[in-house]
Amino acid sequence: MKRLFFTLLLAAQTTLAAQTTITPPANKYSPADDVKMGLQAKAEAEQQLPIMRDDEVTSYVEGIGRRLVNAIPANLRHPEFRYTFEVVNVREINAFALPGGPMFVNRGMIEAAHSEGEVASVMAHELSHVALRHGTAQASKATKYEIGTIAGAVLGAIIGGNLGSVVAQGTQFGLGTAFLRFSREFEKQADIEGSHIMASAGYDPRDMANLFKTIEKQGGSGAPQWLSDHPNPGNRQDYILKEAQMLHVTNPVSDTRGFEQVQAHLKRLSPAPTTEQAMKKSGRGGQTSGQSQPVPTGRVSAPSSQFRTYTEGDLFRVSVPSNWRELPGGNAVTFAPEGAYGQTNGQSVFTHGVELGATRNETHDLRTATDELIASLASGNPNLGRPSGYDNVSVAGRKGLRATLSNTSEVTGQPEAIQLYTTLMRDGSVFYTIGVAPRDSFRDYQNIFQRIVGSIQLMD
Ligand SMILES: [Zn+2]
Protein backbone atom coordinates (compact mmCIF):
# COMPACT_ATOMS: atom_id res chain seq x y z
CA MET A 1 0.00 0.00 0.00
CA LYS A 2 2.60 2.46 1.09
CA ARG A 3 4.89 1.70 -1.77
CA LEU A 4 2.14 2.19 -4.29
CA PHE A 5 1.29 5.56 -2.83
CA PHE A 6 4.92 6.51 -2.96
CA THR A 7 5.21 5.56 -6.62
CA LEU A 8 2.11 7.49 -7.54
CA LEU A 9 3.31 10.52 -5.69
CA LEU A 10 6.64 10.41 -7.42
CA ALA A 11 5.02 10.10 -10.81
CA ALA A 12 2.84 13.09 -10.09
CA GLN A 13 5.73 15.18 -8.86
CA THR A 14 8.17 14.48 -11.64
CA THR A 15 5.91 16.17 -14.12
CA LEU A 16 6.09 19.34 -12.05
CA ALA A 17 9.76 20.01 -11.71
CA ALA A 18 13.13 18.43 -11.33
CA GLN A 19 13.37 19.58 -7.77
CA THR A 20 13.75 16.99 -5.03
CA THR A 21 10.52 15.46 -3.82
CA ILE A 22 10.13 15.51 -0.06
CA THR A 23 7.80 12.91 1.40
CA PRO A 24 6.70 13.58 4.98
CA PRO A 25 7.90 10.76 7.24
CA ALA A 26 5.53 8.20 8.79
CA ASN A 27 3.66 9.63 11.74
CA LYS A 28 1.30 7.89 14.08
CA TYR A 29 0.02 11.12 15.60
CA SER A 30 -2.73 13.24 14.11
CA PRO A 31 -2.18 16.86 13.08
CA ALA A 32 -4.46 17.72 16.01
CA ASP A 33 -1.92 16.04 18.32
CA ASP A 34 0.78 18.27 16.86
CA VAL A 35 -1.33 21.31 17.66
CA LYS A 36 -2.05 20.16 21.18
CA MET A 37 1.58 19.37 22.04
CA GLY A 38 2.76 22.57 20.39
CA LEU A 39 0.33 24.78 22.29
CA GLN A 40 1.30 23.21 25.58
CA ALA A 41 4.96 23.80 24.86
CA LYS A 42 4.22 27.31 23.54
CA ALA A 43 2.54 28.34 26.77
CA GLU A 44 5.52 27.04 28.68
CA ALA A 45 7.97 28.80 26.37
CA GLU A 46 6.14 32.12 26.68
CA GLN A 47 6.25 31.83 30.42
CA GLN A 48 9.93 30.98 30.52
CA LEU A 49 11.42 33.11 27.77
CA PRO A 50 11.83 36.89 27.58
CA ILE A 51 9.50 37.55 24.64
CA MET A 52 10.14 40.86 22.90
CA ARG A 53 7.24 43.28 22.93
CA ASP A 54 8.51 45.56 20.22
CA ASP A 55 6.12 46.15 17.35
CA GLU A 56 8.75 47.04 14.83
CA VAL A 57 10.68 43.84 15.39
CA THR A 58 7.77 41.46 15.81
CA SER A 59 5.80 42.75 12.85
CA TYR A 60 8.90 42.46 10.70
CA VAL A 61 9.46 38.83 11.66
CA GLU A 62 5.77 38.12 11.36
CA GLY A 63 5.76 39.59 7.86
CA ILE A 64 8.49 37.20 6.74
CA GLY A 65 6.69 34.36 8.47
CA ARG A 66 3.37 35.04 6.71
CA ARG A 67 5.09 35.22 3.38
CA LEU A 68 6.70 31.85 3.97
CA VAL A 69 3.53 30.24 5.32
CA ASN A 70 1.68 31.29 2.17
CA ALA A 71 4.35 29.48 0.16
CA ILE A 72 3.92 26.12 1.91
CA PRO A 73 2.93 23.62 -0.79
CA ALA A 74 -0.64 22.32 -0.74
CA ASN A 75 0.32 18.77 0.24
CA LEU A 76 1.98 20.03 3.43
CA ARG A 77 -0.82 22.30 4.57
CA HIS A 78 -2.71 21.28 7.65
CA PRO A 79 -5.83 23.34 8.29
CA GLU A 80 -5.47 22.83 12.05
CA PHE A 81 -2.04 24.44 12.19
CA ARG A 82 -1.65 28.00 13.43
CA TYR A 83 1.64 29.60 12.57
CA THR A 84 2.68 32.26 15.06
CA PHE A 85 5.97 34.15 15.30
CA GLU A 86 7.60 35.57 18.39
CA VAL A 87 11.00 37.13 18.97
CA VAL A 88 12.97 36.18 22.06
CA ASN A 89 15.13 38.95 23.49
CA VAL A 90 18.32 36.96 23.88
CA ARG A 91 21.68 37.11 22.21
CA GLU A 92 22.27 33.50 21.14
CA ILE A 93 21.87 32.58 17.50
CA ASN A 94 18.89 30.31 17.69
CA ALA A 95 15.31 29.75 16.64
CA PHE A 96 12.88 26.94 17.21
CA ALA A 97 9.44 25.94 16.07
CA LEU A 98 6.93 23.79 17.88
CA PRO A 99 4.60 21.18 16.41
CA GLY A 100 1.48 22.75 14.95
CA GLY A 101 3.08 26.10 14.17
CA PRO A 102 4.39 28.31 17.04
CA MET A 103 7.81 29.69 16.15
CA PHE A 104 10.34 31.58 18.27
CA VAL A 105 13.26 33.45 16.73
CA ASN A 106 16.03 34.81 18.92
CA ARG A 107 16.95 38.46 18.54
CA GLY A 108 20.56 37.26 18.17
CA MET A 109 19.60 35.40 15.03
CA ILE A 110 18.22 38.55 13.41
CA GLU A 111 21.27 40.53 14.50
CA ALA A 112 23.68 37.98 13.06
CA ALA A 113 21.97 37.70 9.68
CA HIS A 114 23.46 39.52 6.69
CA SER A 115 20.21 39.82 4.77
CA GLU A 116 16.49 39.29 5.05
CA GLY A 117 17.01 36.15 2.98
CA GLU A 118 19.15 34.73 5.77
CA VAL A 119 16.47 35.43 8.37
CA ALA A 120 13.93 33.86 6.03
CA SER A 121 16.21 30.84 5.62
CA VAL A 122 16.23 29.85 9.23
CA MET A 123 12.50 30.46 9.44
CA ALA A 124 11.82 28.43 6.28
CA HIS A 125 13.89 25.60 7.71
CA GLU A 126 11.97 25.67 11.01
CA LEU A 127 8.67 25.98 9.17
CA SER A 128 9.52 22.90 7.13
CA HIS A 129 10.08 20.84 10.28
CA VAL A 130 6.59 21.90 11.35
CA ALA A 131 4.89 21.34 7.99
CA LEU A 132 6.58 17.94 7.60
CA ARG A 133 5.52 17.21 11.20
CA HIS A 134 9.01 16.10 12.17
CA GLY A 135 8.49 16.50 15.91
CA THR A 136 5.72 13.96 16.12
CA ALA A 137 7.25 11.80 13.37
CA GLN A 138 10.32 11.54 15.54
CA ALA A 139 8.14 10.75 18.53
CA SER A 140 6.39 8.06 16.47
CA LYS A 141 9.68 6.28 16.13
CA ALA A 142 10.56 6.69 19.78
CA THR A 143 10.39 3.85 22.19
CA LYS A 144 7.40 3.31 24.40
CA TYR A 145 9.22 4.72 27.36
CA GLU A 146 9.85 7.94 25.58
CA ILE A 147 6.26 8.20 24.43
CA GLY A 148 5.17 8.37 28.04
CA THR A 149 6.93 11.68 28.45
CA ILE A 150 6.43 12.98 24.99
CA ALA A 151 5.08 16.45 25.75
CA GLY A 152 7.98 17.09 28.07
CA ALA A 153 10.39 15.55 25.65
CA VAL A 154 9.21 17.62 22.72
CA LEU A 155 9.39 20.72 24.84
CA GLY A 156 12.71 19.71 26.30
CA ALA A 157 14.15 18.93 22.93
CA ILE A 158 13.00 22.03 21.22
CA ILE A 159 13.25 24.56 23.99
CA GLY A 160 16.26 22.75 25.28
CA GLY A 161 18.18 24.53 22.59
CA ASN A 162 17.43 27.81 24.22
CA LEU A 163 17.36 26.99 27.84
CA GLY A 164 19.48 23.95 28.19
CA SER A 165 18.37 21.81 31.01
CA VAL A 166 16.73 24.67 32.82
CA VAL A 167 13.39 23.86 31.31
CA ALA A 168 14.18 20.50 29.85
CA GLN A 169 15.36 19.32 33.24
CA GLY A 170 17.73 17.25 31.25
CA THR A 171 20.77 15.78 32.77
CA GLN A 172 24.20 17.22 33.08
CA PHE A 173 24.96 15.63 29.75
CA GLY A 174 22.41 17.56 27.84
CA LEU A 175 20.98 14.31 26.56
CA GLY A 176 17.57 15.84 26.97
CA THR A 177 18.34 18.11 24.09
CA ALA A 178 20.23 15.61 22.04
CA PHE A 179 17.56 13.04 22.33
CA LEU A 180 14.88 14.58 20.16
CA ARG A 181 17.30 16.54 18.15
CA PHE A 182 16.26 16.02 14.56
CA SER A 183 17.93 13.26 12.64
CA ARG A 184 20.15 13.99 9.68
CA GLU A 185 17.45 12.71 7.40
CA PHE A 186 14.93 15.20 8.81
CA GLU A 187 17.49 17.98 8.70
CA LYS A 188 18.08 17.40 5.02
CA GLN A 189 14.34 17.32 4.41
CA ALA A 190 13.90 20.64 6.23
CA ASP A 191 16.77 22.19 4.25
CA ILE A 192 15.38 21.06 0.89
CA GLU A 193 11.75 21.81 1.68
CA GLY A 194 12.84 25.09 3.19
CA SER A 195 14.63 26.01 -0.03
CA HIS A 196 11.44 25.27 -2.00
CA ILE A 197 9.33 27.40 0.33
CA MET A 198 11.87 30.20 0.12
CA ALA A 199 11.89 30.16 -3.67
CA SER A 200 8.13 30.32 -3.95
CA ALA A 201 8.00 33.04 -1.29
CA GLY A 202 10.35 35.11 -3.42
CA TYR A 203 13.61 34.56 -1.53
CA ASP A 204 16.80 33.35 -3.11
CA PRO A 205 17.31 29.81 -1.74
CA ARG A 206 21.06 30.32 -1.99
CA ASP A 207 20.70 32.56 1.04
CA MET A 208 20.16 29.39 3.02
CA ALA A 209 23.65 28.24 2.17
CA ASN A 210 24.89 31.72 3.15
CA LEU A 211 23.05 31.51 6.43
CA PHE A 212 24.76 28.28 7.39
CA LYS A 213 28.07 29.91 6.63
CA THR A 214 27.06 32.85 8.85
CA ILE A 215 26.05 30.55 11.67
CA GLU A 216 29.18 28.45 11.46
CA LYS A 217 31.34 31.55 11.62
CA GLN A 218 29.76 32.62 14.90
CA GLY A 219 31.87 30.24 16.87
CA GLY A 220 32.46 32.02 20.16
CA SER A 221 32.70 29.57 23.00
CA GLY A 222 31.29 26.82 20.82
CA ALA A 223 29.06 26.24 17.83
CA PRO A 224 25.77 28.11 18.11
CA GLN A 225 23.02 26.10 19.72
CA TRP A 226 21.00 26.11 16.53
CA LEU A 227 23.64 23.98 14.83
CA SER A 228 23.70 21.39 17.54
CA ASP A 229 19.92 21.09 17.40
CA HIS A 230 19.95 21.04 13.61
CA PRO A 231 23.11 19.11 12.81
CA ASN A 232 24.68 19.32 9.39
CA PRO A 233 23.66 16.15 7.53
CA GLY A 234 26.88 16.50 5.52
CA ASN A 235 27.61 18.70 2.48
CA ARG A 236 24.83 20.98 3.57
CA GLN A 237 25.86 24.00 1.55
CA ASP A 238 26.57 21.92 -1.55
CA TYR A 239 23.21 20.22 -1.75
CA ILE A 240 21.34 23.44 -0.99
CA LEU A 241 23.15 25.23 -3.81
CA LYS A 242 22.47 22.29 -6.11
CA GLU A 243 18.79 22.33 -5.21
CA ALA A 244 18.69 26.09 -5.69
CA GLN A 245 19.78 25.64 -9.31
CA MET A 246 16.60 23.70 -9.97
CA LEU A 247 14.36 26.26 -8.34
CA HIS A 248 12.76 29.19 -9.98
CA VAL A 249 12.29 32.17 -7.69
CA THR A 250 8.80 33.47 -8.23
CA ASN A 251 7.88 37.00 -7.26
CA PRO A 252 11.34 37.97 -5.92
CA VAL A 253 11.63 40.11 -2.81
CA SER A 254 13.55 43.20 -3.82
CA ASP A 255 12.93 45.59 -0.96
CA THR A 256 15.62 45.21 1.68
CA ARG A 257 14.87 48.38 3.63
CA GLY A 258 12.83 46.49 6.22
CA PHE A 259 15.82 44.39 7.13
CA GLU A 260 18.16 47.37 7.41
CA GLN A 261 15.65 49.30 9.49
CA VAL A 262 15.12 46.45 11.91
CA GLN A 263 18.85 45.89 12.34
CA ALA A 264 19.36 49.62 12.94
CA HIS A 265 16.47 49.62 15.40
CA LEU A 266 17.94 46.67 17.31
CA LYS A 267 21.29 48.45 17.52
CA ARG A 268 19.63 51.35 19.29
CA LEU A 269 18.18 49.08 21.97
CA SER A 270 20.23 47.94 24.91
CA PRO A 271 22.09 44.78 23.90
CA ALA A 272 20.25 41.49 24.24
CA PRO A 273 21.25 39.52 27.31
CA THR A 274 22.38 35.93 27.08
CA THR A 275 19.67 33.39 27.78
CA GLU A 276 21.30 32.61 31.09
CA GLN A 277 21.33 36.27 32.15
CA ALA A 278 17.73 36.70 31.06
CA MET A 279 16.61 33.71 33.06
CA LYS A 280 18.46 34.79 36.17
CA LYS A 281 17.17 38.32 36.05
CA SER A 282 13.55 37.33 35.72
CA GLY A 283 13.81 34.43 38.10
CA ARG A 284 12.42 32.34 35.29
CA GLY A 285 13.52 28.89 34.52
CA GLY A 286 13.11 27.59 38.00
CA GLN A 287 10.93 24.65 38.67
CA THR A 288 7.33 25.51 37.94
CA SER A 289 6.38 23.89 41.21
CA GLY A 290 8.42 26.50 43.05
CA GLN A 291 10.09 23.89 45.18
CA SER A 292 13.68 24.54 46.02
CA GLN A 293 16.09 22.21 44.38
CA PRO A 294 18.60 20.11 46.24
CA VAL A 295 22.17 21.26 45.88
CA PRO A 296 24.67 18.52 45.17
CA THR A 297 27.41 18.45 47.76
CA GLY A 298 29.39 15.59 46.30
CA ARG A 299 29.44 14.07 49.80
CA VAL A 300 27.51 10.86 49.69
CA SER A 301 27.23 7.60 51.56
CA ALA A 302 28.58 4.45 50.00
CA PRO A 303 26.24 2.45 47.77
CA SER A 304 24.16 -0.03 49.71
CA SER A 305 24.92 -3.65 48.98
CA GLN A 306 21.18 -4.24 48.96
CA PHE A 307 19.64 -3.62 45.56
CA ARG A 308 16.13 -2.50 44.71
CA THR A 309 14.43 -3.22 41.39
CA TYR A 310 12.62 -0.56 39.37
CA THR A 311 10.43 -1.06 36.34
CA GLU A 312 10.51 1.90 33.99
CA GLY A 313 7.35 2.12 31.93
CA ASP A 314 7.29 -0.97 29.79
CA LEU A 315 10.76 -0.30 28.49
CA PHE A 316 13.16 -1.80 30.98
CA ARG A 317 13.78 -3.10 34.46
CA VAL A 318 16.89 -2.40 36.49
CA SER A 319 18.22 -2.96 39.99
CA VAL A 320 20.24 -0.29 41.79
CA PRO A 321 21.61 0.17 45.32
CA SER A 322 18.66 0.62 47.66
CA ASN A 323 19.98 3.93 49.03
CA TRP A 324 19.87 5.50 45.55
CA ARG A 325 16.84 7.57 44.65
CA GLU A 326 14.95 7.43 41.41
CA LEU A 327 15.03 10.81 39.63
CA PRO A 328 12.88 10.77 36.52
CA GLY A 329 13.95 13.21 33.81
CA GLY A 330 12.50 14.17 30.45
CA ASN A 331 13.81 11.23 28.52
CA ALA A 332 15.88 9.28 30.93
CA VAL A 333 15.93 8.17 34.52
CA THR A 334 18.76 8.78 36.95
CA PHE A 335 19.47 6.89 40.14
CA ALA A 336 21.71 8.64 42.62
CA PRO A 337 22.33 8.84 46.36
CA GLU A 338 21.38 11.83 48.50
CA GLY A 339 23.96 14.62 48.15
CA ALA A 340 24.94 13.47 44.68
CA TYR A 341 22.35 15.28 42.61
CA GLY A 342 20.64 18.62 42.23
CA GLN A 343 21.01 21.92 40.46
CA THR A 344 24.28 23.71 39.79
CA ASN A 345 24.28 26.85 37.63
CA GLY A 346 20.86 25.98 36.31
CA GLN A 347 22.03 22.54 35.28
CA SER A 348 20.71 19.29 36.59
CA VAL A 349 23.80 17.40 37.64
CA PHE A 350 24.86 14.28 39.51
CA THR A 351 28.24 13.28 40.89
CA HIS A 352 27.59 9.63 41.73
CA GLY A 353 25.04 7.31 40.18
CA VAL A 354 23.69 6.07 36.89
CA GLU A 355 21.50 7.43 34.18
CA LEU A 356 19.59 5.10 31.89
CA GLY A 357 17.69 5.98 28.77
CA ALA A 358 17.21 5.42 25.10
CA THR A 359 18.00 7.72 22.25
CA ARG A 360 17.08 7.42 18.63
CA ASN A 361 19.67 6.53 16.08
CA GLU A 362 19.42 6.16 12.34
CA THR A 363 22.46 4.03 11.74
CA HIS A 364 21.43 0.69 13.28
CA ASP A 365 25.11 0.19 13.91
CA LEU A 366 26.10 -0.02 17.55
CA ARG A 367 29.60 1.33 17.15
CA THR A 368 28.54 4.33 15.08
CA ALA A 369 25.58 4.94 17.36
CA THR A 370 27.90 4.90 20.38
CA ASP A 371 30.31 7.28 18.67
CA GLU A 372 27.40 9.66 18.08
CA LEU A 373 26.17 9.34 21.63
CA ILE A 374 29.62 10.22 22.94
CA ALA A 375 29.77 13.18 20.56
CA SER A 376 26.49 14.46 21.96
CA LEU A 377 27.73 13.96 25.52
CA ALA A 378 30.84 15.90 24.61
CA SER A 379 28.81 18.79 23.23
CA GLY A 380 27.28 19.37 26.66
CA ASN A 381 30.42 18.53 28.61
CA PRO A 382 33.41 20.42 27.28
CA ASN A 383 35.85 18.64 29.59
CA LEU A 384 34.83 15.16 28.55
CA GLY A 385 37.76 13.11 27.34
CA ARG A 386 37.64 10.66 24.46
CA PRO A 387 37.54 6.94 25.19
CA SER A 388 40.66 4.98 24.32
CA GLY A 389 38.43 2.33 22.79
CA TYR A 390 35.38 0.19 23.34
CA ASP A 391 35.12 -3.12 25.18
CA ASN A 392 32.71 -5.72 23.90
CA VAL A 393 30.32 -6.53 26.72
CA SER A 394 26.87 -7.97 27.14
CA VAL A 395 23.99 -5.65 28.02
CA ALA A 396 20.62 -7.24 28.73
CA GLY A 397 21.81 -10.37 26.95
CA ARG A 398 22.63 -8.41 23.82
CA LYS A 399 25.81 -7.35 22.14
CA GLY A 400 26.94 -4.22 23.91
CA LEU A 401 29.83 -1.79 24.12
CA ARG A 402 31.52 -0.20 27.10
CA ALA A 403 33.62 2.94 27.13
CA THR A 404 35.35 4.73 29.97
CA LEU A 405 35.78 8.46 29.76
CA SER A 406 37.26 11.13 31.96
CA ASN A 407 35.45 14.31 32.88
CA THR A 408 35.62 17.16 35.38
CA SER A 409 32.77 17.40 37.85
CA GLU A 410 30.80 20.66 37.65
CA VAL A 411 30.12 20.31 41.35
CA THR A 412 33.48 19.55 42.87
CA GLY A 413 35.83 20.60 40.08
CA GLN A 414 37.50 17.25 40.63
CA PRO A 415 38.17 14.61 38.01
CA GLU A 416 35.41 12.09 37.55
CA ALA A 417 35.09 8.89 35.58
CA ILE A 418 32.22 8.14 33.26
CA GLN A 419 31.40 4.64 32.23
CA LEU A 420 29.08 4.25 29.30
CA TYR A 421 27.32 1.06 28.27
CA THR A 422 25.29 0.83 25.07
CA THR A 423 23.23 -1.70 23.20
CA LEU A 424 20.74 -1.47 20.36
CA MET A 425 17.01 -1.80 20.85
CA ARG A 426 14.79 -3.53 18.34
CA ASP A 427 13.73 -0.27 16.74
CA GLY A 428 17.34 0.83 16.31
CA SER A 429 17.40 3.17 19.32
CA VAL A 430 20.48 3.05 21.48
CA PHE A 431 19.84 2.02 25.05
CA TYR A 432 22.49 3.55 27.27
CA THR A 433 23.63 3.44 30.85
CA ILE A 434 25.95 6.16 32.08
CA GLY A 435 27.73 5.57 35.37
CA VAL A 436 29.35 8.56 37.07
CA ALA A 437 31.75 8.53 40.02
CA PRO A 438 34.69 10.59 41.27
CA ARG A 439 37.86 9.21 39.77
CA ASP A 440 39.38 8.32 43.12
CA SER A 441 36.48 6.04 43.97
CA PHE A 442 35.86 4.79 40.46
CA ARG A 443 37.26 1.36 41.20
CA ASP A 444 34.53 0.71 43.80
CA TYR A 445 31.79 2.14 41.64
CA GLN A 446 32.86 0.20 38.60
CA ASN A 447 31.68 -2.97 40.29
CA ILE A 448 28.37 -1.33 41.14
CA PHE A 449 27.89 -0.19 37.55
CA GLN A 450 28.70 -3.69 36.37
CA ARG A 451 26.11 -5.16 38.71
CA ILE A 452 23.49 -2.59 37.64
CA VAL A 453 24.09 -3.24 33.96
CA GLY A 454 23.95 -6.96 34.64
CA SER A 455 20.45 -6.54 36.06
CA ILE A 456 18.97 -4.69 33.07
CA GLN A 457 16.13 -6.36 31.28
CA LEU A 458 14.86 -4.72 28.11
CA MET A 459 11.21 -5.22 27.29
CA ASP A 460 11.14 -3.89 23.74
ZN1 LIG B 1 16.45 21.47 11.54
Side-chain angles (χ1 to χ4, degrees), residues 125-126 129 182 186-187 190 226 229-230 236:
H125 176 101
E126 296 289 348
H129 279 309
F182 293 121
F186 288 3
E187 280 312 308
W226 193 88
D229 291 341
H230 303 267
R236 192 167 224 168

Side-chain angles (χ1 to χ4, degrees), residues 168-444:
Q169 293 181 36
T171 67
Q172 73 188 106
F173 296 108
L175 269 180
T177 44
F179 162 69
L180 271 182
R181 209 167 55 166
F182 293 121
S183 65
R184 292 192 169 84
E185 181 197 344
F186 288 3
E187 280 312 308
K188 192 163 179 179
Q189 281 204 333
D191 289 342
I192 302 282
E193 190 57 54
S195 72
H196 297 176
I197 291 174
M198 281 185 74
S200 34
Y203 291 106
D204 185 342
R206 286 173 299 184
D207 276 343
M208 191 180 265
N210 294 336
L211 168 83
F212 290 128
K213 232 183 278 169
T214 301
I215 293 181
E216 274 165 15
K217 264 192 219 144
Q218 304 280 333
S221 56
Q225 186 65 47
W226 193 88
L227 265 189
S228 69
D229 291 341
H230 303 267
N232 186 341
N235 303 318
R236 192 167 224 168
Q237 292 169 22
D238 294 345
Y239 67 69
I240 292 170
L241 291 176
K242 217 165 160 191
E243 188 73 17
Q245 284 176 359
M246 292 181 273
L247 296 171
H248 176 63
V249 178
T250 42
N251 189 22
V253 174
S254 53
D255 186 1
T256 60
R257 273 176 308 174
F259 176 71
E260 285 151 19
Q261 280 168 9
V262 158
Q263 281 208 327
H265 175 75
L266 289 175
K267 275 209 185 84
R268 287 192 294 268
L269 304 179
S270 55
T274 64
T275 301
E276 203 187 339
Q277 287 166 344
M279 310 293 288
K280 267 193 192 140
K281 202 173 152 198
S282 64
R284 289 177 169 113
Q287 306 299 309
T288 37
S289 62
Q291 284 166 5
S292 67
Q293 285 293 302
V295 176
T297 59
R299 289 186 302 274
V300 305
S301 43
S304 167
S305 58
Q306 296 272 56
F307 272 46
R308 186 186 296 168
T309 302
Y310 292 84
T311 303
E312 298 300 334
D314 43 10
L315 182 69
F316 68 93
R317 203 169 283 141
V318 65
S319 302
V320 300
S322 57
N323 63 338
W324 288 12
R325 289 194 46 189
E326 182 188 29
L327 310 159
N331 332 301
V333 59
T334 303
F335 296 95
E338 213 68 62
Y341 60 87
Q343 297 275 320
T344 291
N345 300 325
Q347 301 269 312
S348 218
V349 300
F350 69 111
T351 56
H352 303 64
V354 287
E355 175 181 321
L356 300 99
T359 176
R360 286 188 51 256
N361 193 276
E362 301 291 311
T363 64
H364 293 260
D365 175 68
L366 181 58
R367 185 163 282 268
T368 314
T370 307
D371 288 343
E372 291 183 2
L373 187 67
I374 290 175
S376 71
L377 292 182
S379 73
N381 291 271
N383 295 318
L384 191 73
R386 294 282 145 165
S388 52
Y390 297 147
D391 306 316
N392 291 305
V393 293
S394 162
V395 177
R398 300 175 192 188
K399 186 174 161 258
L401 291 177
R402 182 179 63 197
T404 308
L405 305 96
S406 61
N407 193 33
T408 306
S409 168
E410 297 82 347
V411 177
T412 60
Q414 296 299 308
E416 65 184 5
I418 312 287
Q419 197 151 48
L420 172 71
Y421 289 81
T422 55
T423 192
L424 287 182
M425 304 194 66
R426 284 190 216 294
D427 67 356
S429 300
V430 197
F431 183 85
Y432 63 83
T433 304
I434 297 165
V436 179
R439 193 168 66 195
D440 53 19
S441 46
F442 178 58
R443 203 189 286 265
D444 302 331

